[in-house]
Amino acid sequence: MFTLVRSRVRTAALALSAVAALAFGGTAATAATGAAAAPAPAKQGPTSVAYVEVNNNSMRNVGKYTLANGGGNVFDVAVIFAANINYDTGTKAAYLHFNENVQRVLDNAATEIRPLQQKGIKVVLSVLGNHQGAGFANFPSQQKASAFAKKLSDTVAKYGLDGIDFDDEYADYGNNGTGQPNDSSFVHLVTALRANMPGKIISLYNIGPAASRLSYGGVDVSSKFDYAWNPYYGTWQVPRVALPKSKLSPAAVEIGRTSQSTAADLARRTVSEGYGVYLTYNLDGANRSADVSAFTRELYGSDAVYTP
């Protein structure tokens, strides 16, 4: 029997509350200067995703793993974990907040983000609740949901990111006089965000009130997501989102904590049942080639190579 492992460390917690929220008037990010690196060779098989806890680890670690056979990237999507949806009690509005570690990654995009993109790896920003009552599921109006969507898409444009990941945890709906989840909020938010950035990734960490409120007023936003994944590490759980198998990850592993045998079993099942995504969490700076190879052998028929 699998054990549900929920050890995700809450990012941007109250200990870092002195960090200011993002101001959106800056110059848009551009690609790093100099010749772009050639993307790694293409590979055949599911899309591999790596969440990185940037409070403790560098995004650059995602680019250190390639396949022994063919040299392709092990990981296709790197997730910056995580920005926060916070609540301003004065204006009674949600706002986008970066702790000092997330802000450092964004400010140093030339060394933390651009090298991954030059390899062909997409880099998205995860957004997470922060115990303040603000969440994706309780915007009181379409106007307020759209305003927050604009903050998200502005961030993607400013820092040259590839998209946004929604993780509806730790919102603590009701705190600070905020409302409880409603049926329209997340639909309005996702609809506006997709309209703002039609060519970018929107992914869903399939948990929380928002994940169960994808339809309202005849609008179903399921198809507006590029990916949805299981949030429970070491388990198999098909996300209940109306997306094709190619965009779903029923498998979820925590690198270094999920056993190699379980990671291999989940990868094998991903392939045998025709799913197109394999989710991993907490890639750190150690040489994890043994853990990573456990699933790459099943997904791609190759060991993983770690290059410091």
Side-chain angles (χ1 to χ4, degrees):
M1 179 180 294
F2 293 125
T3 300
L4 297 185
V5 179
R6 298 307 321 282
S7 66
R8 291 162 71 89
V9 178
R10 176 172 59 92
T11 305
L14 301 179
L16 297 169
S17 60
V19 182
L22 171 69
F24 287 98
T27 303
T30 57
T33 57
K43 69 183 182 188
Q44 298 296 317
T47 297
S48 289
V49 181
Y51 276 81
V52 177
E53 287 266 14
V54 298
N55 278 350
N56 307 308
N57 299 296
S58 170
M59 292 302 295
R60 295 190 298 271
N61 295 327
V62 181
K64 295 179 179 180
Y65 293 87
T66 55
L67 297 175
N69 298 340
N73 296 315
V74 166
F75 298 106
D76 304 287
V77 180
V79 184
I80 302 168
F81 188 77
N84 292 100
I85 177 171
N86 279 9
Y87 188 71
D88 187 320
T89 57
T91 62
K92 299 188 183 304
Y95 66 95
L96 186 60
H97 172 80
F98 304 143
N99 78 11
E100 60 189 6
N101 297 302
V102 173
Q103 189 68 66
R104 172 183 48 77
V105 170
L106 297 175
D107 288 342
N108 291 282
T111 56
E112 289 283 320
I113 296 171
R114 237 46 91 214
L116 300 181
Q117 293 173 325
Q118 289 167 359
K119 291 174 181 286
I121 299 169
K122 302 294 187 181
V123 180
V124 306
L125 177 67
S126 187
V127 185
L128 180 71
N130 201 16
H131 303 281
Q132 298 183 10
F136 313 126
N138 69 343
F139 286 104
S141 68
Q142 183 173 5
Q143 180 181 18
K144 288 185 180 295
S146 296
F148 191 75
K150 181 66 162 54
K151 294 176 183 178
L152 295 175
S153 57
D154 282 350
T155 297
V156 168
K158 178 175 181 177
Y159 294 105
L161 300 172
D162 295 298
I164 292 292
D165 174 65
F166 287 111
D167 183 349
D168 191 16
E169 298 181 277
Y170 311 119
D172 290 356
Y173 290 103
N175 277 3
N176 291 314
T178 57
Q180 292 299 316
N182 64 67
D183 291 339
S184 64
S185 175
F186 196 44
V187 172
H188 290 322
L189 177 61
V190 174
T191 299
L193 183 61
R194 177 51 76 204
N196 291 351
M197 46 180 226
K200 299 291 186 176
I201 291 171
I202 304 177
S203 58
L204 177 64
Y205 190 79
N206 190 42
I207 199 169
S212 62
R213 291 170 167 83
L214 303 182
S215 180
Y216 175 77
V219 176
D220 189 318
V221 294
S222 298
S223 63
K224 298 184 186 299
F225 292 101
D226 293 277
Y227 306 109
W229 29 69
N230 170 17
Y232 298 107
Y233 305 114
T235 75
W236 178 272
Q237 184 180 105
V238 180
R240 295 184 177 181
V241 182
L243 288 172
K245 284 186 170 184
S246 61
K247 296 185 176 185
L248 297 176
S249 180
V253 302
E254 181 171 355
I255 295 174
R257 292 197 63 178
T258 302
S259 70
Q260 293 177 20
S261 61
T262 296
D265 289 343
L266 293 172
R268 192 177 304 115
R269 188 171 179 182
T270 297
V271 173
S272 67
E273 297 190 22
Y275 287 94
V277 189
Y278 188 87
L279 177 68
T280 76
Y281 167 68
N282 208 23
L283 183 67
D284 60 20
N287 181 351
R288 298 291 182 182
S289 57
D291 293 305
V292 174
S293 293
F295 61 81
T296 60
R297 291 188 200 107
E298 303 298 332
L299 296 178
Y300 313 116
S302 174
D303 282 340
V305 176
Y306 172 77
T307 304

